[in-house]
Coordinates of all heavy atoms in Angstrom, one line a residue:
T436 N -7.0 25.0 27.0 CA -7.7 24.8 28.2 C -8.8 25.8 28.4 O -8.5 27.0 28.3 CB -6.8 24.7 29.4 OG1 -5.8 23.7 29.2 CG2 -7.5 24.3 30.7
Y437 N -10.0 25.4 28.8 CA -11.0 26.4 29.1 C -11.9 25.9 30.3 O -11.8 24.7 30.7 CB -11.9 26.6 27.9 CG -12.8 25.3 27.5 CD1 -14.1 25.2 28.0 CD2 -12.3 24.3 26.7 CE1 -14.8 24.1 27.7 CE2 -13.0 23.2 26.4 CZ -14.3 23.1 26.9 OH -15.0 21.9 26.6
W438 N -12.6 26.9 30.9 CA -13.5 26.6 32.0 C -14.9 26.3 31.5 O -15.5 27.1 30.9 CB -13.4 27.7 33.0 CG -14.3 27.6 34.2 CD1 -15.5 28.1 34.4 CD2 -14.0 26.8 35.3 NE1 -16.0 27.7 35.6 CE2 -15.1 26.9 36.2 CE3 -12.9 26.0 35.7 CZ2 -15.1 26.3 37.5 CZ3 -12.9 25.4 36.9 CH2 -14.0 25.5 37.8
N439 N -15.4 25.1 31.8 CA -16.7 24.7 31.3 C -17.8 25.0 32.3 O -19.0 24.6 32.1 CB -16.7 23.2 31.0 CG -16.6 22.3 32.1 OD1 -16.4 22.8 33.3 ND2 -16.8 21.0 31.9
G440 N -17.5 25.8 33.3 CA -18.5 26.2 34.3 C -18.3 25.4 35.6 O -18.7 25.9 36.7
S441 N -17.6 24.2 35.6 CA -17.4 23.5 36.8 C -16.0 23.1 36.9 O -15.5 22.8 38.1 CB -18.3 22.3 36.8 OG -18.1 21.4 35.7
R442 N -15.2 23.0 35.8 CA -13.8 22.6 35.9 C -13.1 23.0 34.6 O -13.7 23.3 33.6 CB -13.7 21.0 36.1 CG -14.3 20.2 35.0 CD -14.3 18.7 35.3 NE -14.9 17.9 34.2 CZ -14.2 17.5 33.2 NH1 -12.9 17.7 33.1 NH2 -14.8 16.8 32.3
N443 N -11.8 22.9 34.7 CA -11.0 23.2 33.5 C -11.0 21.9 32.6 O -10.8 20.8 33.1 CB -9.5 23.5 33.9 CG -9.4 24.9 34.5 OD1 -10.1 25.8 34.0 ND2 -8.6 25.1 35.5
V444 N -11.1 22.2 31.3 CA -11.1 21.1 30.3 C -10.0 21.5 29.3 O -9.9 22.6 28.9 CB -12.5 21.0 29.6 CG1 -12.4 19.9 28.5 CG2 -13.6 20.6 30.6
T445 N -9.2 20.5 29.0 CA -8.1 20.6 28.0 C -8.4 19.8 26.8 O -8.6 18.6 26.9 CB -6.8 20.2 28.6 OG1 -6.5 21.0 29.8 CG2 -5.6 20.4 27.6
L446 N -8.4 20.5 25.7 CA -8.6 19.9 24.4 C -7.2 19.6 23.8 O -6.4 20.6 23.6 CB -9.5 20.8 23.4 CG -10.9 21.1 23.9 CD1 -11.6 22.0 22.9 CD2 -11.7 19.8 24.1
K447 N -7.0 18.4 23.4 CA -5.7 18.0 22.8 C -5.9 17.4 21.4 O -7.0 17.0 21.1 CB -5.0 17.0 23.7 CG -4.7 17.4 25.1 CD -3.9 16.4 25.9 CE -3.6 16.8 27.2 NZ -2.9 15.7 28.0
L448 N -4.8 17.4 20.6 CA -4.9 16.8 19.3 C -4.8 15.3 19.5 O -4.0 14.8 20.3 CB -3.7 17.3 18.5 CG -3.8 18.8 18.1 CD1 -2.6 19.1 17.2 CD2 -5.1 19.2 17.5
A449 N -5.5 14.6 18.7 CA -5.5 13.1 18.8 C -4.3 12.5 18.2 O -3.5 13.1 17.4 CB -6.8 12.5 18.1
Q450 N -4.0 11.3 18.6 CA -2.8 10.6 18.1 C -3.0 10.2 16.6 O -4.1 9.9 16.1 CB -2.6 9.3 19.0 CG -1.5 8.4 18.6 CD -1.3 7.2 19.6 OE1 -1.4 7.4 20.8 NE2 -1.0 6.0 19.0
I451 N -1.8 10.0 16.0 CA -1.8 9.6 14.6 C -0.7 8.5 14.5 O 0.4 8.6 15.1 CB -1.4 10.7 13.6 CG1 -2.3 11.9 13.8 CG2 -1.3 10.2 12.2 CD1 -1.9 13.0 12.9
D452 N -1.1 7.3 13.9 CA -0.2 6.2 13.7 C 0.1 6.1 12.2 O -0.7 6.5 11.4 CB -0.8 4.9 14.2 CG -1.2 5.0 15.6 OD1 -0.6 5.8 16.4 OD2 -2.1 4.2 16.1
F453 N 1.2 5.5 11.9 CA 1.6 5.3 10.5 C 2.5 4.1 10.3 O 3.4 3.9 11.2 CB 2.3 6.6 10.0 CG 2.8 6.5 8.6 CD1 2.0 6.6 7.5 CD2 4.2 6.4 8.4 CE1 2.5 6.5 6.2 CE2 4.7 6.3 7.1 CZ 3.9 6.4 6.0
Y454 N 2.3 3.3 9.3 CA 3.3 2.3 9.0 C 3.4 2.2 7.4 O 2.4 2.4 6.7 CB 3.0 1.0 9.6 CG 1.9 0.2 9.0 CD1 2.0 -0.6 7.9 CD2 0.6 0.2 9.6 CE1 1.0 -1.4 7.4 CE2 -0.5 -0.6 9.1 CZ -0.2 -1.3 8.0 OH -1.3 -2.1 7.5
R455 N 4.6 1.9 7.0 CA 4.9 1.8 5.6 C 5.7 0.5 5.3 O 6.7 0.3 6.0 CB 5.6 3.0 5.0 CG 5.9 2.9 3.5 CD 6.9 3.8 3.0 NE 6.4 5.2 3.0 CZ 7.1 6.2 2.5 NH1 8.4 6.1 2.1 NH2 6.6 7.5 2.5
K456 N 5.3 -0.2 4.3 CA 6.1 -1.3 3.8 C 6.7 -0.9 2.4 O 5.9 -0.5 1.5 CB 5.3 -2.6 3.6 CG 4.6 -3.1 4.9 CD 3.7 -4.2 4.7 CE 3.0 -4.7 6.0 NZ 2.1 -5.9 5.8
T457 N 8.0 -1.1 2.2 CA 8.6 -0.7 1.0 C 9.4 -1.8 0.4 O 10.3 -2.4 1.1 CB 9.5 0.5 1.2 OG1 8.8 1.6 1.8 CG2 10.1 1.0 -0.1
F458 N 9.2 -2.2 -0.9 CA 9.9 -3.2 -1.6 C 10.6 -2.5 -2.8 O 9.9 -1.8 -3.6 CB 9.0 -4.3 -2.1 CG 9.8 -5.3 -2.9 CD1 10.5 -6.3 -2.4 CD2 9.7 -5.2 -4.3 CE1 11.2 -7.2 -3.1 CE2 10.4 -6.1 -5.1 CZ 11.1 -7.1 -4.5
T459 N 11.9 -2.6 -2.9 CA 12.7 -1.9 -3.9 C 13.6 -2.8 -4.6 O 14.3 -3.6 -3.9 CB 13.4 -0.7 -3.3 OG1 12.6 0.1 -2.5 CG2 14.1 0.2 -4.3
T460 N 13.6 -2.8 -5.9 CA 14.7 -3.5 -6.7 C 15.8 -2.5 -7.0 O 15.5 -1.3 -7.2 CB 14.1 -4.1 -8.0 OG1 13.5 -3.0 -8.8 CG2 13.0 -5.1 -7.6
W461 N 17.0 -3.0 -7.2 CA 18.1 -2.1 -7.5 C 18.9 -2.7 -8.6 O 19.1 -3.9 -8.8 CB 19.0 -1.9 -6.2 CG 18.4 -1.3 -5.0 CD1 18.0 -2.0 -3.9 CD2 18.0 0.1 -4.9 NE1 17.4 -1.1 -3.1 CE2 17.4 0.2 -3.6 CE3 18.2 1.2 -5.7 CZ2 17.0 1.4 -3.1 CZ3 17.8 2.4 -5.2 CH2 17.2 2.5 -3.9
A462 N 19.5 -1.8 -9.4 CA 20.4 -2.2 -10.5 C 21.5 -1.1 -10.6 O 21.1 0.2 -10.6 CB 19.7 -2.4 -11.8
G463 N 22.7 -1.4 -10.9 CA 23.7 -0.4 -11.0 C 25.1 -0.9 -11.0 O 25.4 -2.1 -11.4
F464 N 26.1 -0.1 -10.4 CA 27.5 -0.5 -10.5 C 28.1 -0.3 -9.1 O 27.8 0.6 -8.4 CB 28.2 0.2 -11.5 CG 27.8 -0.1 -13.0 CD1 26.8 0.5 -13.6 CD2 28.5 -1.2 -13.6 CE1 26.4 0.2 -14.9 CE2 28.1 -1.5 -14.9 CZ 27.1 -0.9 -15.5
K465 N 29.1 -1.1 -8.8 CA 29.9 -1.0 -7.7 C 31.4 -0.8 -8.1 O 31.8 -1.5 -9.0 CB 29.8 -2.2 -6.8 CG 30.7 -2.2 -5.5 CD 30.6 -3.5 -4.8 CE 29.3 -3.8 -4.2 NZ 29.0 -2.9 -3.0
A466 N 32.1 0.1 -7.5 CA 33.5 0.4 -7.9 C 34.4 0.2 -6.6 O 34.0 0.7 -5.5 CB 33.7 1.7 -8.4
K467 N 35.4 -0.6 -6.7 CA 36.4 -0.8 -5.6 C 37.7 -0.2 -6.0 O 38.3 -0.6 -7.0 CB 36.5 -2.2 -5.2 CG 37.4 -2.5 -4.0 CD 37.3 -3.9 -3.5 CE 38.0 -4.9 -4.5 NZ 38.1 -6.2 -3.9

Side-chain angles (χ1 to χ4, degrees):
T436 302
Y437 68 94
W438 178 258
N439 69 353
S441 58
R442 61 186 179 88
N443 284 324
V444 176
T445 300
L446 300 178
K447 298 181 179 180
L448 297 182
Q450 178 175 318
I451 304 176
D452 305 335
F453 175 75
Y454 73 83
R455 180 197 287 183
K456 301 176 183 179
T457 305
F458 175 83
T459 309
T460 60
W461 299 105
F464 291 90
K465 178 185 294 288
K467 182 173 72 173

